[in-house]
Amino acid sequence: MSKALKWSIFALILIAIGVVLSHGVIVPRFLWEPRLQTIQNQYPDQTIQVKRVVLALSLKPQLIISEIEIDAPNRQENVKIALLRFGVDAIESAQQGRLQIKAITVKGLAVNASRQADCGSVNLSCIPVLPVALVARGWASTQVANPGFFTPELALNTLELEQAQFTVNNPEAQQELSGKLEQFKFKVGNSAPDNQFNLGWRVGIKTPQENNELYIAMNAQTEAGPMREVSLKQLKVDIDGQWNGFPWTGSAEQDLLVLRLAQTNNGEGAPFIKLNGENLRTYVRRDDLPETHQAAFSAQQFEGGLPAQNWTLSKAEWTYTHEDAQAWTFNMNYAASEGLLELQPETIRGSEGIPAEAQVRELNCDADETAIREDKPYWAWQEGWFRVLNQHPQENSSLVLCPISTNKP
């Protein structure tokens, strides 16, 4: 065999290996199963199964895990993922000395849970906990004292979910709470035209008495900033559907919304999302002929955080048309630890709204609260709309704002 032929064969072999690796090769089970078993041992109350792991090598390597199932019998929850793909930036990983995960794609996500609680409305007791726990585990795996090269660091610029379905059932009450992500795509990078945030979310509740369904669509231009900061520009939200027996439509627009990941307890506690925004405008309409209910809310600036953080609103306005049309302008501070809303009067140029009276209100107070101001009404979200009540509502309400004394102990 000639030397030239040998080199030709060698080159072809290298090309074939490169093609195979770039398109992905199945990782032998004995290489990754011990790691899976270690995770399983950490959570003995759950069953974790994985069918296949594929590795594709290039300047942007990808790790693909398929047919994942996590079952938690004690929580009566089950999570299935058809495909989970991690994209890594090889050059940046070498520079940082640690694997940089730049993209995550989730396909065929199915979450199923069973509850004994009343799931005839959206409430925390009917939201699956396991998906949140899985995300928390993933986050915790990146927060280690002495990370090595193979300790992943989340530096996401792309997150995609395809065909995601969430279902919570209460068989005894014949209730089903469901949510379906028809599309979710978040991308932020160096090319402005490609930086997009798109969301299509359908949520529904079925009971023997009702069949509620809302569709929510969101889109915005994204931009990355320092300190794990993301800006959503020209954010638009549209809502449409049938809820509590009434047809609803709604919309929201915002010039700028900035999101930043932070942590409680001076950076040592649980993560939360810090938000601040400019020029928020919302509108909602409920058609229940012969009446039509409409409300609008706007705020020139706001800042806060989720979950359970303090909030401030500057130059806000609330307008509604039901019985008598009214509009108020105000500033607001919300103290999350105490559940108190402080409203202060504000004048907005060009607005016909009346500056609101200075007052303090409490979220969802008890009916036998002794510090309630009897000269001011309750504000309650009840029967599908805000109602003004002279007494604490006897029926279930999603939200009650109670007028309290400013010298409440």
Side-chain angles (χ1 to χ4, degrees), residues 134-407:
L134 296 175
V135 173
R137 290 177 203 172
W139 168 260
S141 69
T142 70
Q143 308 297 300
V144 295
N146 299 300
F149 179 80
F150 291 102
T151 304
E153 183 175 34
L154 294 178
L156 291 178
N157 57 28
T158 301
L159 176 61
E160 293 186 61
L161 274 71
E162 298 181 15
Q163 302 173 4
Q165 179 78 42
F166 304 82
T167 305
V168 180
N169 285 288
N170 182 333
E172 184 175 348
Q174 298 180 351
Q175 298 170 339
E176 180 182 277
L177 173 63
S178 65
K180 183 178 181 181
L181 274 173
E182 297 186 352
Q183 63 171 336
F184 178 91
K185 185 174 183 179
F186 172 84
K187 185 175 182 180
V188 57
N190 299 321
S191 178
D194 295 332
N195 293 347
Q196 294 282 335
F197 166 65
N198 294 290
L199 168 68
W201 170 261
R202 193 176 299 276
V203 59
I205 296 177
K206 292 182 180 180
T207 70
Q209 296 78 29
E210 293 183 314
N211 187 0
N212 299 321
E213 185 174 84
L214 285 180
Y215 180 74
I216 304 167
M218 303 174 66
N219 65 82
Q221 294 285 328
T222 61
E223 184 177 294
M227 302 295 292
R228 293 183 293 187
E229 183 178 284
V230 174
S231 299
L232 302 180
K233 296 183 177 180
Q234 304 304 316
L235 175 64
K236 295 183 179 180
V237 182
D238 289 297
I239 301 173
D240 183 69
Q242 189 87 9
W243 205 266
N244 288 335
F246 303 111
W248 291 82
T249 56
S251 65
E253 295 185 2
Q254 185 158 5
D255 294 349
L256 176 67
L257 177 64
V258 181
L259 303 94
R260 182 164 61 88
L261 192 63
Q263 288 179 267
T264 57
N265 299 332
N266 297 319
E268 297 181 356
F272 70 95
I273 298 176
K274 189 172 183 179
L275 305 95
N276 62 78
E278 300 175 359
N279 297 326
L280 170 66
R281 304 169 297 280
T282 66
Y283 168 80
V284 64
R285 174 187 175 106
R286 191 188 88 180
D287 293 318
D288 46 333
L289 299 177
E291 294 185 351
T292 296
H293 298 64
Q294 301 178 73
F297 172 77
S298 64
Q300 293 186 17
Q301 291 183 326
F302 66 85
E303 182 176 350
L306 295 171
Q309 303 298 311
N310 296 338
W311 284 83
T312 61
L313 278 74
S314 177
K315 292 187 179 298
E317 182 174 8
W318 166 259
T319 305
Y320 79 95
T321 57
H322 173 50
E323 297 174 350
D324 297 323
Q326 297 186 27
W328 294 276
T329 55
F330 56 92
N331 297 325
M332 189 198 80
N333 293 311
Y334 170 61
S337 60
E338 300 174 303
L340 295 180
L341 287 165
E342 181 183 5
L343 293 141
Q344 296 292 339
E346 176 61 276
T347 301
I348 300 177
R349 184 177 180 180
S351 170
E352 297 181 358
I354 301 172
E357 176 188 356
Q359 56 187 289
V360 178
R361 288 184 176 263
E362 185 178 34
L363 295 182
N364 300 324
C365 61
D366 294 329
D368 58 353
E369 176 62 60
T370 57
I372 291 296
R373 287 179 56 180
E374 296 181 355
D375 61 326
K376 295 298 176 184
Y378 294 85
W379 299 341
W381 181 265
Q382 194 178 71
E383 297 181 2
W385 199 255
F386 277 109
R387 303 181 68 197
V388 179
L389 306 171
N390 291 326
Q391 296 181 345
H392 190 284
Q394 301 299 313
E395 304 172 15
N396 292 332
S397 301
S398 301
L399 176 67
V400 181
L401 300 180
C402 313
I404 66 170
S405 173
T406 54
N407 58 358

